[in-house]
Amino acid sequence: MISAYFIHLLILIGIYLILAISLQLSVGFTGLLNLGHIAFYCVGAYASALLALNGFPFWIYFLAAGFLAMIFGFLLSIPTKKLKGDYLALATLGFSFVIYAVALNWTGLTRGPLGLPGIPRPTLFGFTFSDNVSFLILTFIIVLISYLIIKKITISPFGKVLEATRDDELATRVLGKNTFKMKSISLATSAFFAGLAGSLYASYITFIDPSSFTLLQLIPVLCIVIIGGLASLKGTIIATIILVLLPEPLRFIGFPSSIVGPARQIIYGLILLLILVYRPKGFYGKVELE
Amino acid sequence: MTKTAKTILWVVIIVIVIGAIWYGLTRKPAEEVIKIGVITPLSSDMVNWGESMKGGIEIAVDERNSIINGKPIQLIFEDNKACDSKETVTAMRKLIDIDKVKVTLVGCSGATMSAAPIAEENQVILLTPMASAGQISQAGDFVFRTSISDTAMGKFLGKYLIEKLNFKKIAVLYANNDYGVGFFNNLKPSFENSGGEILQAEEYIFGATDFRTNLTKIKAKSPEALVVISYGQEGGLIAKQIKELDIDVQIIGGDNFGTQEVVEAGGEAVEGAIFTTPALDETKPEVIELKEKFQNKYGKEPPVLISVADGYDAANLLLDAIEEKGYNPFGIKDYLYSIKDYPGISGVITIDENGDAVKPVSIQTIKNGQFVPYEE
Amino acid sequence: MLEIKNLKKYFGGVKAVDNCSFEVKPKTITALIGPNGAGKSTVFNLVSGILKADSGKIIFSGADITKAKPEKISNLGISRLFQQTKLFNNLTVKENLLLALDNEDTKFWKNLFSLNKLSKEKETKIKEMLNLIGMEKFESTLTRDLSYGQKRLIELLRTILNPHKFLMVDEPVAGVNPKLREVIAKILEKLKNQGETILLIEHDMNFTLNVADWVIVMEKGKVIAQGKPEEIRNNPRVLEAYLGE
């Protein structure tokens, strides 16, 4: 009998894996300053939760989460046609704030700070994934499919064009490639998977509220992408496992109750610092950004 | 980074980790220990609430010399940062699965909502002394709450405004978090059903310091009273700005209005304000005593006194239940549902069929910077 | 093949390209020379679509490309080598070259479903080209790890592999050692013999006048002289422009 606690951690790892490898696609491979990833995750979570609560079947609310997030990803890429690359960081940042504000204030739709409780677990072909072991299996199937798709994109010639766009966009255009299209597809795909991750999260915890989707939540995912190494999927996987599991042993160190909160966070931070000291480019990073 | 710096970094980490493990190991081994899990904000901007709740719990345990039925009580604290759902669920799983805890105290509404299904699934007691969202009432059989819910508060105030204070036309200014929104959502129907009219309802961003735009709109409608549903010092700032904008209105505060913070931030402006309170009379000796105990134990004033009192009462209820029924969730559950007129410091508590505490709400006012009962 | 008509590009008060007009005939190597700041690279950037002209026209094979985007211009048949190296430094030599061969790699679905496989022909072509310059061993090296001269060679190769009707080459031998200069000169000769049309910017006079069929001289944004290399070599106006620098 595997511990329920451990299964929970594996599910969290699964959700973070999807978030991290999709962020790696837009940031590490395409060089996009995508700071809106959590907003795509949020859109996916809310879309999925609302549709599920209104009785739609799993495959509809799950895919709708991805598609809705993807549409936003695509829309955010449009202005990059005329404006400089740094614009994207500002736009995605602004988008994050807007989505959070909508989740918090459009109480008619999202119930604002009260959140959405009672989100049903997925049901497929008559089987409901109400126990965590089956949910874990579902999660990992989705993780595997997501990984295979993103891996295929990155090792294919298309992935090379993305990397070329990151390394020198002008040179890429001069070779005849429509880099605007490349960036759009990259951001949209990245957002799609973030939306799927959001759907999984909502279905798992069965309760979501805006506090789970603040900009702060981007930090661990960004850390994973950097510590794993830019443009390295293998590194991303390892970094996800490490960063999700790392705080756990700290729970078992008997810190006196008066300092337990800050103490764990400080140690976690110190260990991350140590990793970066020994591996400034991340575990498997080979990319040097200019 | 230089070699010296790297070495120092390593030494620091190793010393901390070893020191902490040693500390952990020298604590009592788990033969027959009564374990109580506590999940509350121990860091982040919610830390004042978390520490207050924690303080109340620890004081209650101290008073029993950390022993119950001859066995040592072990409190296991987990930090859910800013009431984060993910952190709460992970902590809950760890407490139940690894620490084999059967009784938990959880702080925050969102956190309670995400932990509730796990408590139900594992038949573990979840008692929250610090959560006001109405939906917790339906969260489960094993889920209990000793703080007053927004549903109860909102309903009470809605009626009270008309029946006792005779205010028929009011405005409301409330924070846009689950507390403010929940309170308002219950105040509105209760007030309107009793024949009242809300002339203007303004929502503000939780944590704001400038309410002038909202207040100007409210002033334009000339309400008889302004209900303020705020947190921390916001109530005081709002009162000050009401005076500044020269709005002639009776201030009615929610249950977070009657705090030192508000008096300090509001000064003269909060004189005469009326507010609801879950009967936490700061002039009562046991309340003063609790305040002192907190001061002595932690070397500072309780940041949120009501949370200390709620935590204290919740812990005591749990410990009484364990004393009577043993460390058995089913027995404890029965005990908790049967609680009637328990003289808690935070008020007289009766647990209803939903596991919610029904406490008398009292109305107080501020006179010379002191909280005194309001005479109708 | 390429016609520049009254091209103007001002940067604030600076007249980088000032009413510039010239023509590049097919199957020739035309050199664009002039002192620093004459506007040669600006003309290149205008033709490539990287900069937008203030006025004037650029006609390529009969089509007006004055306002066209860089990728469109490339796909119409203009291939460009830049003065600074613009290789994809986190990719290998082979990957850099493959990117030039065609645009099938920009098709998302085709690539996702593995319908754009690396054909034998492409592999062979790359190997051949690398053999030509003696760099077969560097196929899997990251371009970041190449020496400056090697980088220029690979970049030149990439420019040539990009399907084209017209080559624009900006200072191909600048900063490159004499041995590699020879190699590059040979490559340009070979291209000329294959009937290619090339527009070349280069400061090395000897190199340029040896390899070019036609020379256009610019100074301060204007064309001040044009002609066969021998004519230009002795042109007093040209000497004056260079002495002035």
Side-chain angles (χ1 to χ4, degrees), chain B residues 177-368:
Chain B
N177 60 1
D178 51 7
Y179 165 66
V181 172
F183 195 116
F184 178 68
N185 284 346
N186 286 291
L187 170 67
K188 186 163 147 68
S190 166
F191 183 66
E192 287 173 350
N193 285 338
S194 303
E197 194 189 329
I198 298 183
L199 300 173
Q200 184 78 5
E202 288 286 312
E203 204 184 78
Y204 71 84
I205 297 177
F206 167 49
T209 51
D210 187 342
F211 310 92
R212 296 181 180 90
T213 321
N214 306 103
L215 289 173
T216 311
K217 287 194 205 154
I218 287 171
K219 182 177 181 178
K221 298 284 172 114
S222 305
E224 297 168 324
L226 171 57
V227 176
V228 173
I229 307 166
S230 60
Y231 260 102
Q233 59 162 1
E234 289 158 19
L237 295 175
I238 291 171
K240 253 198 168 138
Q241 288 170 21
I242 288 175
K243 219 182 167 115
E244 189 189 300
L245 293 173
D246 204 17
I247 308 179
D248 181 22
V249 87
Q250 170 65 50
I251 299 176
I252 317 263
D255 51 307
N256 276 316
F257 200 91
T259 64
Q260 268 310 111
E261 264 186 293
V262 168
V263 173
E264 271 162 36
E268 268 286 307
V270 294
E271 283 292 313
I274 302 173
F275 56 93
T276 64
T277 163
L280 186 67
D281 187 346
E282 291 200 32
T283 60
K284 285 221 179 96
E286 55 265 26
V287 177
I288 297 177
E289 206 187 312
L290 183 64
K291 226 173 147 178
E292 273 171 16
K293 282 191 184 149
F294 191 99
Q295 192 113 19
N296 292 337
K297 193 172 165 72
Y298 302 105
K300 62 180 182 186
E301 286 233 0
V304 185
L305 188 57
I306 183 63
S307 293
V308 178
D310 276 330
Y312 181 81
D313 284 339
N316 274 318
L317 282 172
L318 268 182
L319 290 170
D320 284 347
I322 295 173
E323 199 165 30
E324 170 109 359
K325 302 279 186 175
Y327 191 64
N328 162 14
F330 290 93
I332 296 173
K333 183 159 76 85
D334 289 338
Y335 183 93
L336 290 174
Y337 276 119
S338 70
I339 289 176
K340 206 170 149 66
D341 298 330
Y342 171 84
I345 292 198
S346 65
V348 176
I349 301 175
T350 299
I351 304 278
D352 69 12
E353 69 276 6
N354 288 323
D356 265 337
V358 175
K359 290 169 162 174
V361 179
S362 73
I363 301 290
Q364 297 192 341
T365 183
I366 301 178
K367 204 166 170 172
N368 299 324

Side-chain angles (χ1 to χ4, degrees), chain A residues 152-153 156-158 160-161 164 166-168 171-177 181-182 185 286-288 290, chain C residues 69-71 74-75 82 86 88-91 95 99 102-103 105-106 108 111-112 114 116 144 162:
Chain A
K152 185 76 184 79
I153 295 175
S156 74
F158 188 89
K160 299 305 161 200
V161 183
R166 170 199 68 211
D167 285 348
D168 194 324
T172 314
R173 294 180 79 183
V174 164
L175 285 177
K177 324 269 180 207
K181 185 177 104 172
M182 297 289 115
I185 294 178
K286 55 152 183 148
V287 168
E288 280 171 15
E290 272 144 52
Chain C
K69 293 209 176 79
E71 48 268 23
S74 168
N75 292 328
F82 286 83
K86 286 172 90 62
F88 305 120
N89 283 323
N90 293 301
L91 296 178
E95 287 165 347
L99 280 163
D102 62 31
N103 285 336
D105 46 14
T106 61
F108 179 72
N111 281 278
L112 186 62
S114 289
N116 179 27
R144 187 178 25 197
N162 190 22

Side-chain angles (χ1 to χ4, degrees), chain A residues 247-261 263-264 267, chain B residues 15-28 74-78 94 99:
Chain A
E248 299 310 308
L250 299 179
R251 285 187 210 275
F252 299 96
I253 298 177
F255 287 115
S257 68
S258 50
I259 59 163
V260 73
R264 287 178 190 167
I267 299 232
Chain B
V15 164
I16 295 180
V17 172
I18 291 186
I21 293 179
W22 175 79
Y23 179 88
L25 285 177
T26 58
R27 299 187 61 188
K28 292 198 189 69
Q74 187 188 10
L75 293 173
I76 306 178
F77 287 97
E78 293 292 342
K94 177 244 178 197
D99 295 312

Side-chain angles (χ1 to χ4, degrees), chain A residues 3 8 111 251 253-254 265, chain B residues 20 23 78 81 90 97 135:
Chain A
S3 141
H8 162 77
R111 290 179 22 114
R251 285 187 210 275
I253 298 177
Q265 296 201 350
Chain B
Y23 179 88
E78 293 292 342
K81 310 230 171 88
T90 308
D97 209 34
Q135 55 211 1

Side-chain angles (χ1 to χ4, degrees), chain A residues 3-5 8-9 12 16 104-105 111 113-114 117 132 201 205-207 209 212 217 248 251-258 260-262 264-265 267 270-271 274 277-278, chain B residues 1 6 9-10 12-13 16 20-21 23-24 42-43 54 58 77-79 81 84-87 89-91 93-94 97-98 110 113-114 117 135 176-178 181 185 203:
Chain A
S3 141
Y5 167 59
H8 162 77
L9 290 176
L12 278 188
Y16 268 100
L104 190 63
N105 293 301
R111 290 179 22 114
L114 297 175
N132 282 353
Y201 174 79
I205 307 275
T206 71
F207 168 76
D209 67 358
S212 300
Q217 304 285 344
E248 299 310 308
R251 285 187 210 275
F252 299 96
I253 298 177
F255 287 115
S257 68
S258 50
V260 73
R264 287 178 190 167
Q265 296 201 350
I267 299 232
L270 283 178
I271 295 182
L274 207 61
V277 158
Y278 280 96
Chain B
M1 209 192 233
K6 271 191 203 177
L9 188 55
W10 269 115
V12 167
I13 291 186
I16 295 180
I21 293 179
Y23 179 88
L42 295 176
S43 64
K54 169 174 172 286
E58 286 191 318
F77 287 97
E78 293 292 342
D79 179 9
K81 310 230 171 88
D84 185 63
S85 298
K86 207 170 62 272
E87 295 291 326
V89 170
T90 308
R93 291 269 174 214
K94 177 244 178 197
D97 209 34
I98 309 288
M113 288 308 293
S114 29
Q135 55 211 1
N176 74 343
N177 60 1
D178 51 7
V181 172
N185 284 346
E203 204 184 78

